[in-house]
Amino acid sequence: MKSLSSTAKEKIKLVTINRNLMPLKEAKVSITAPGLSYAALVFEGIRAYWNQEHKQLYIFRLEEHLNRFLNSMKLLKFIDYPNIQSIKSDIISNIQANKYQEDIYIRLQGYIDDWGEMAVRTPVSTSIVSYPRPRAIAFTEGKNFTISSWQRLDDNASPPRIKASANYLNSRLASIQAKESGYDGGIMLGPNGKVSEGPGGCIFLLRNGNLITPNITSGILESITRDSILEISKKIKLKTETRDVDRTELYIADEIFYCGTGQEIMPILSVDKMLAGDGTPGKITKLLQHEFTEIVRGKNSNFENWITSTYKN
Ligand code: PMP
């Protein structure tokens, strides 16, 4: 049986490397590139949402993704990287060339190309790969998590706030361990024993009507979805707290959800078999899913500045 990801790969048509559009099979990287041999690679995962009525594909929070991409390149000491405005127009051209009329996912990468030792800082190549990606079934159904025995990496070792591929060794270990143990995902604790995040998303929990999420300094990626949820909550007058979260708070939470560009807002039904509420997607989780969906599809004028149109209608 084919995996979902292999069928998604078959749908990839034109990709962009260093500003040039080409079929995927022509897009090659050298095996000597430090991006490959030393994980000198940063990336972004971005979603764009189709609005049938507007005949428009809206990219969600493109500016914020580009800003984080820039920070990732800065922190890894890349030099002579392309200007962010050119990357922005390449993303839009890639989508236009592929003529999508459905929800898509865009993976933008910046990496040290060619050849060189571990600390080499140039040349920086960029790639853009986009493909159709409908909403996950788990958005409705939810998933079951465990606390990972892998510790979340630390800012003084391999800064998790940026999206560097090297950080995903930590995520990969936690993810495989959780799946081998019969769970859908693993939540990692930081070096201080407090809740950090999952392998590819941030954690929110609801306790006594308060929506709680770990601090930005708790070894998490500076997640754009997390930020969006905090902003949306403000707008709909939900009380929020960003603070240290103990593992046992997850075991007695009323609701928990996982969030990120891929997952959007995904209910977590249980942690270590301890049910969140009654073990079904919670009321506040569903409310936030609804608000989020309206915004990303361009149906909430209060959040128009979060979406970028790709087609000239
Ligand atoms: N944490 C990690 C480790 C991630 O990989 C992701 C996905 N990019 C997130 C959090 C969520 O970030 P965002 O909302 O910006 O997609």
Side-chain angles (χ1 to χ4, degrees), residues 15-22 82-83 85-90 93 126-128:
V15 303
T16 307
I17 294 207
N18 291 332
R19 315 217 68 194
N20 301 309
L21 277 162
M22 65 187 78
N83 119 351
Q85 283 317 308
S86 71
I87 296 174
K88 180 177 177 179
S89 71
D90 290 346
S93 314
T126 55
S127 66
I128 299 160

Side-chain angles (χ1 to χ4, degrees), residues 204 206 209 211 227-240 255 257 265 283-295 300 302-303 306:
F204 278 83
L206 190 83
L211 192 63
D227 176 75
S228 306
I229 291 163
L230 290 170
E231 287 296 315
I232 296 167
S233 298
K234 223 186 278 170
K235 205 74 169 187
I236 62 174
K237 304 204 167 15
L238 257 179
K239 276 192 278 171
T240 58
E255 297 184 27
F257 61 82
I265 298 175
K283 214 172 85 196
I284 297 297
T285 307
K286 286 194 205 160
L287 171 67
L288 286 166
Q289 284 182 324
H290 171 77
E291 296 291 327
F292 183 79
T293 302
E294 294 285 295
I295 292 168
N300 184 337
N302 290 322
F303 290 92
W306 280 1

Side-chain angles (χ1 to χ4, degrees), residues 8-195:
K9 186 177 171 197
E10 281 156 19
K11 290 187 187 155
I12 298 173
K13 289 179 280 181
L14 295 170
V15 303
T16 307
I17 294 207
N18 291 332
R19 315 217 68 194
N20 301 309
L21 277 162
M22 65 187 78
L24 177 64
K25 61 177 182 314
E26 286 172 26
K28 305 283 183 211
V29 178
S30 167
I31 58 165
T32 59
L36 181 65
S37 44
Y38 295 107
L41 185 149
V42 299
F43 68 102
E44 283 300 315
I46 308 167
R47 267 192 193 263
Y49 294 85
W50 178 245
N51 181 317
Q52 176 63 25
E53 206 183 315
H54 300 180
K55 298 265 179 293
Q56 191 56 266
L57 193 57
Y58 292 117
I59 309 175
F60 186 58
R61 302 199 72 177
L62 179 58
E63 296 297 334
E64 290 81 357
H65 279 286
L66 291 172
N67 192 40
R68 186 171 67 188
F69 188 65
L70 190 63
N71 285 339
S72 297
M73 290 195 291
K74 274 188 195 164
L75 213 63
L76 287 202
K77 298 279 185 181
F78 287 10
I79 48 173
D80 300 332
Y81 43 77
N83 119 351
I84 285 298
Q85 283 317 308
S86 71
I87 296 174
K88 180 177 177 179
S89 71
D90 290 346
I91 290 174
I92 292 172
S93 314
N94 177 285
I95 294 173
Q96 288 172 344
N98 282 297
K99 303 189 174 71
Y100 296 114
Q101 296 205 351
E102 60 195 305
D103 293 353
I104 63 161
Y105 188 77
I106 304 146
R107 179 152 167 137
L108 164 68
Q109 299 187 144
Y111 51 94
I112 306 292
D113 209 343
D114 193 23
W115 156 264
E117 40 77 38
M118 186 177 52
V120 73
R121 298 172 67 179
T122 187
V124 175
S125 282
T126 55
S127 66
I128 299 160
V129 176
S130 59
Y131 53 89
R133 184 166 172 184
R135 176 162 278 173
I137 293 163
F139 181 92
T140 317
E141 295 186 351
K143 288 198 167 178
N144 297 296
F145 274 56
T146 182
I147 300 292
S148 181
S149 70
W150 290 103
Q151 184 176 290
R152 185 62 178 148
L153 35 78
D154 178 69
D155 193 52
N156 291 313
S158 187
R161 73 182 61 258
I162 56 161
K163 214 159 163 60
S165 73
N167 290 345
Y168 286 82
L169 167 62
N170 184 231
S171 292
R172 182 180 162 83
L173 291 169
S175 190
I176 292 174
Q177 183 194 48
K179 287 186 179 134
E180 281 190 340
S181 310
Y183 295 94
D184 299 313
I187 298 168
M188 288 173 281
L189 307 179
N192 61 354
K194 304 294 177 190
V195 173

Side-chain angles (χ1 to χ4, degrees), residues 65 68 152 163 168 197-202 221 223-226 259-261:
H65 279 286
R68 186 171 67 188
R152 185 62 178 148
K163 214 159 163 60
Y168 286 82
E197 64 176 342
C202 290
L221 178 75
S223 157
I224 291 158
T225 318
R226 174 186 174 279
C259 76
T261 299

